[in-house]
Amino acid sequence: MSVDLSAAAWRSQRWAARTALAAAALAVLLPLGYGGLGGVLLLAAGLAGAAVTAAAVWWTLTRRGPERWLAAGLAVVAPALVLVLFVVTLGWVLVLSPVLWSVAVWSGRYALRSTGVRPKRMKEHRARSVHQPFLIMNPRSGGGKVEQFRLREKAEHLGAHVVLLDPEEHQDVTELARAAVAQGADLLGVAGGDGTQALVAAVAAEHDLPFLVISAGTRNHFAMDLGLDRTDPATCLDALTDGVELRVDLGFVADRPFVNNASFGAYAAVVQSPAYRDDKIGTTLGLLPDLLTRQRGPRLTARIEATTIDGPQAVLVSNNAYRTGDPAGLGRRERLDSGMLGILGVRVDSAAEAAALLLDPDPEGLAVLSAREVVVGAPPPGVVVGGGGGGRLPVCF
């Protein structure tokens, strides 16, 4: 018996799309229908509560003293009151509506997948044979994952030369990697955070060597987007004997590499403050009022091809774009080899504009772009960069 797989896929797609539309419609209409006129008023109350919450958060970040604490209280009380109002008015409908939204999202994702309308997967290449792998491991990274998973012992058993960084002494990982290449290393790798990954990855790209990512950092964003196991970094070592290569992009800010993103503006100024390491919350709350109201820090300008973003408080440049239209995939990158940077610029000058960021589908204060190059500038003393624009890197796993 022959089966028309194309026709079957299209039928599946149509039903998934219909399910998505029906679930989304029910998620909106059910609360309105259940509450009648009260449901309409409840929707208006929810939108108003969201606007008040966004404005209160803005005041919290831009005020000091009693005004800040009053605004912080409002930011907590406003959504709590809206939630209580929804629970009292809607009851079981409040539980069913989010379930319907979940069905709508996942049915929509399946509908797109079933027709092949999805980004092309990164192409895998046969991994090169390696004879002198060189790995750098940070024993402090990820709360001690190197020791917890016995990464050094397992890597050395597989024939790798491992350098364990000294927590008490600064070591230049770039120079360590270059020295290893000079001595014949034919693979470089890192068990550590994304910042260390980026520095050694740049050396690997410079010499066209494979780079082994070992997910021993705290967040492991780079490993996550590569599809690696973040719960057991020891599995990454399998690539030394049985791996594949992906050719992925490497971003640069001037000559500084990054594998995830680089930030400019308020966040970068906060994390670069000498006091940030010892008092993250206090330093952030102390600096943000002046930074967000432009009383302190440079006035940024971001030029992306024919577009100019003037005076944003923050600019985030990512190595390939983060997902924005998929609620289930926010914070992740679909692929790492598009050759494009993702650019996110935020400019907010009032509580009303802060509320618009949350409620307006296309807020004026938010710019989402992509390009091969972005130029971020500021008057003297210049731009502060956080995180750690390109190159192409073979990654082994």
Side-chain angles (χ1 to χ4, degrees):
M1 181 179 66
S2 62
V3 179
D4 187 346
L5 296 178
S6 176
W10 275 105
R11 284 196 297 270
S12 176
Q13 181 269 341
R14 286 197 296 269
W15 279 108
R18 290 167 182 166
T19 301
L21 290 172
L26 283 173
V28 173
L29 295 175
L30 188 61
L32 296 178
Y34 182 81
L37 178 59
V40 177
L41 296 176
L42 194 63
L43 177 61
L47 294 175
V52 170
T53 301
V57 170
W58 170 256
W59 291 324
T60 301
L61 297 177
T62 57
R63 300 290 193 274
R64 289 189 172 89
E67 290 184 346
R68 164 174 281 170
W69 298 115
L70 288 172
L74 181 59
V76 173
V77 170
L81 288 176
V82 171
L83 180 60
V84 170
L85 183 61
F86 271 62
V87 170
V88 171
T89 305
L90 296 178
W92 61 271
V93 174
L94 185 64
V95 177
L96 183 57
S97 187
V99 172
L100 289 170
W101 276 118
S102 298
V103 171
V105 169
W106 288 108
S107 296
R109 285 166 61 88
Y110 176 80
L112 292 176
R113 283 201 300 267
S114 65
T115 57
V117 183
R118 53 178 172 172
K120 184 180 178 182
R121 290 179 61 85
M122 291 184 285
K123 185 178 180 180
E124 295 180 355
H125 304 267
R126 177 178 297 179
R128 294 170 248 180
S129 297
V130 296
H131 306 284
Q132 297 186 54
F134 175 80
L135 307 179
I136 295 174
M137 297 189 178
N138 183 351
R140 283 189 173 179
S141 187
K145 288 182 180 178
V146 169
E147 181 177 353
Q148 178 185 352
F149 291 92
R150 300 182 62 246
L151 297 180
R152 180 179 185 176
E153 293 85 347
K154 293 177 181 179
E156 289 178 339
H157 178 72
L158 292 170
H161 177 65
V162 178
V163 169
L164 203 63
L165 297 179
D166 186 347
E168 304 301 326
E169 180 183 348
H170 172 72
Q171 293 169 276
D172 190 328
V173 295
T174 299
E175 290 305 315
L176 287 174
R178 285 179 174 156
V181 173
Q183 294 170 14
D186 53 5
L187 176 144
L188 301 178
V190 169
D194 290 330
T196 308
Q197 299 273 4
L199 293 172
V200 180
V203 179
E206 179 184 341
H207 295 278
D208 193 27
L209 294 178
F211 178 68
L212 176 60
V213 178
I214 306 172
S215 55
T218 301
R219 299 179 183 87
N220 298 299
H221 287 289
F222 188 39
M224 175 181 68
D225 291 332
L226 286 170
L228 301 179
D229 187 348
R230 295 186 295 164
T231 62
D232 184 3
T235 59
C236 299
L237 295 172
D238 294 342
L240 291 172
T241 56
D242 182 23
V244 295
E245 283 186 8
L246 298 178
R247 304 287 294 191
V248 305
D249 298 322
L250 180 65
F252 285 90
V253 180
D255 59 351
R256 179 178 177 178
F258 65 92
V259 292
N260 288 324
N261 55 61
S263 61
F264 306 83
Y267 173 75
V270 169
V271 298
Q272 293 294 329
S273 170
Y276 181 75
R277 180 179 294 272
D278 296 325
D279 184 11
K280 292 181 173 58
I281 295 177
T283 302
T284 301
L285 292 177
L287 293 177
L288 279 182
D290 289 342
L291 291 170
L292 294 179
T293 57
R294 299 189 181 83
Q295 299 178 51
R296 179 175 178 174
R299 182 181 180 88
L300 296 179
T301 300
R303 293 193 298 277
I304 306 99
E305 296 177 347
T307 302
T308 298
I309 307 174
D310 185 40
Q313 283 99 335
V315 176
L316 181 74
V317 180
S318 60
N319 176 20
N320 288 262
Y322 288 101
R323 297 179 187 174
T324 56
D326 180 3
L330 290 176
R332 301 193 65 165
R333 290 166 290 182
E334 196 75 60
R335 58 189 305 156
L336 295 169
D337 62 344
S338 71
M340 302 291 284
L341 298 168
I343 301 102
L344 179 68
V346 180
R347 174 173 177 165
V348 181
D349 292 315
S350 67
E353 292 181 3
L357 282 180
L358 184 63
L359 301 178
D360 190 338
D362 185 22
E364 185 177 345
L366 179 65
V368 182
L369 304 162
S370 61
R372 293 188 178 275
E373 181 182 72
V374 54
V375 179
V376 181
V383 180
V384 177
V385 183
R392 188 56 66 90
L393 170 74
V395 178
C396 246
F397 69 99

